[in-house]
Amino acid sequence: QPQLQESGPGLVKPPETLSLTCSVSGDSISRSTYFWGWIRQPPGKGLEWIGSIYYTGSTYYNPSLESRVTISIDTSNNQFSLDLSSVTAADTAVYYCARSWVVVTARGYFDLWGRGTRVTVSS
Amino acid sequence: DIQMTQSPSSLSASIGDRVTITCQASRDIRNYLNWYQQTPGKAPKLLIYAASTLETGVPSRFSGRGSGTDFTLTISSLEPEDIATYYCQQYDRVPITFGQGTRVEIK
C-alpha cells in the first residue's frame, strides 16, 4: 500500500527557511505517471498548492510563492523535499505532500496524500 | 490565476437528504476539475476526478457533473460519515487552485 510521510521541524523562526521532506513508500517516485506535490493549509483556512515536481526534476511552482520556494527530488532515496525561505507568520500551516496522476503537464488529480505536518512560524 | 468559487460556504442537512454543492470557475477549465473531502484533522481525500469520474472505493452516492465553468458535486443520500468540508480543484492551468470549501453539517 503506497504511503507518503512528511517530516521536518514543527517550529521555524522568521526569517529562516522551512525545510520538509516527503518519504514515499510502497511505490517508486520515478514512475512517469506521477507528479509529486506540496499543498498547505493555514489554520482554519483552505488549501493552497505550493508546487510540484516530476521525477526528472522538472518543477512547477505557484507564482505567489515562486521567489521563496524550491522543491527537489531524490530518486535514490524515494523522497522529495520542500524549502521555503524567508518565512513569516503567514507561512504557519499544515503542510501536505501528495501524489498526482499526470493528466496534463504538471497537473492532474492528487490521489494519495500524506497525513500532513503542522509547521508554526514564530520567534 | 483561475478563481474557483464554491457555494454555499456551509450547509446543514438531514441524514438521507440529497445535497448539492456547486463550483464555478473564473474561466473555461474543460472538465479539469476534481473534488475532495476533508474531515477535521485529516488530509483531503479524492472523491471525483475529471469532473465526473468516481475514484476507486468512493461510495456511489457521490457524483459529479459539469464542464466549462460550472460544476456540481451531489451526495444522493447524506450519511453521518459524509460530515466534512468539500473542496473543488482545477488543473486546467498552473497554478492549481482550490475552491474555498463547503462545510456540510447535520441538521
Side-chain angles (χ1 to χ4, degrees):
Chain A
Q1 188 82 353
Q3 289 185 342
L4 306 180
Q5 178 67 58
E6 305 90 349
S7 60
L11 180 64
V12 181
K13 291 183 171 60
E16 296 179 349
T17 296
L18 179 162
S19 294
L20 298 174
T21 295
C22 182
S23 299
V24 179
S25 59
D27 198 1
S28 172
I29 205 169
S30 298
R31 282 186 184 272
S32 61
T33 49
Y34 302 136
F35 265 87
W36 305 91
W38 289 97
I39 299 104
R40 70 180 182 178
Q41 186 171 36
K45 295 188 177 180
L47 301 163
E48 180 181 33
W49 175 72
I50 299 169
S52 296
I53 190 165
Y54 198 47
Y55 77 98
T56 58
S58 296
T59 52
Y60 300 84
Y61 299 136
N62 192 324
S64 68
L65 298 167
E66 187 165 13
S67 63
R68 299 193 291 130
V69 171
T70 302
I71 297 176
S72 56
I73 195 163
D74 180 352
T75 55
S76 60
N77 287 308
N78 226 39
Q79 60 188 28
F80 62 106
S81 299
L82 168 69
D83 286 332
L84 181 64
S85 65
S86 305
V87 296
T88 69
D91 295 310
T92 294
V94 175
Y95 285 76
Y96 295 100
C97 61
R99 182 184 77 180
S100 170
W101 280 86
V102 177
V103 178
V104 290
T105 303
R107 291 110 64 201
Y109 48 94
F110 294 102
D111 71 324
L112 183 67
W113 295 64
R115 296 176 69 175
T117 186
R118 184 174 302 274
V119 179
T120 300
V121 178
S122 174
S123 55
Chain B
D1 297 5
I2 297 176
Q3 306 302 317
M4 306 300 293
T5 303
Q6 290 181 233
S7 60
S9 296
S10 65
L11 66 89
S12 184
S14 299
I15 299 302
D17 280 356
R18 183 181 184 87
V19 170
T20 298
I21 299 167
T22 66
C23 178
Q24 186 169 57
S26 61
R27 56 174 287 173
D28 186 344
I29 59 169
R30 296 174 277 186
N31 71 330
Y32 290 172
L33 189 284
N34 306 318
W35 289 98
Y36 300 87
Q37 176 195 63
Q38 187 179 35
T39 53
K42 296 292 182 67
K45 172 189 173 185
L46 178 68
L47 296 177
I48 287 168
Y49 60 93
S52 61
T53 303
L54 202 64
E55 170 70 337
T56 302
V58 173
S60 60
R61 63 181 180 273
F62 291 93
S63 63
R65 295 188 64 179
S67 67
T69 60
D70 296 302
F71 302 86
T72 59
L73 171 70
T74 297
I75 308 172
S76 61
S77 179
L78 189 68
E79 297 284 343
E81 59 265 33
D82 301 335
I83 301 313
T85 300
Y86 293 83
Y87 294 94
C88 60
Q89 172 237 321
Q90 69 79 23
Y91 56 98
D92 185 65
R93 290 282 189 272
V94 170
I96 293 166
T97 48
F98 293 84
Q100 82 279 13
T102 295
R103 180 179 295 181
V104 175
E105 300 173 332
I106 295 292
K107 188 182 293 183

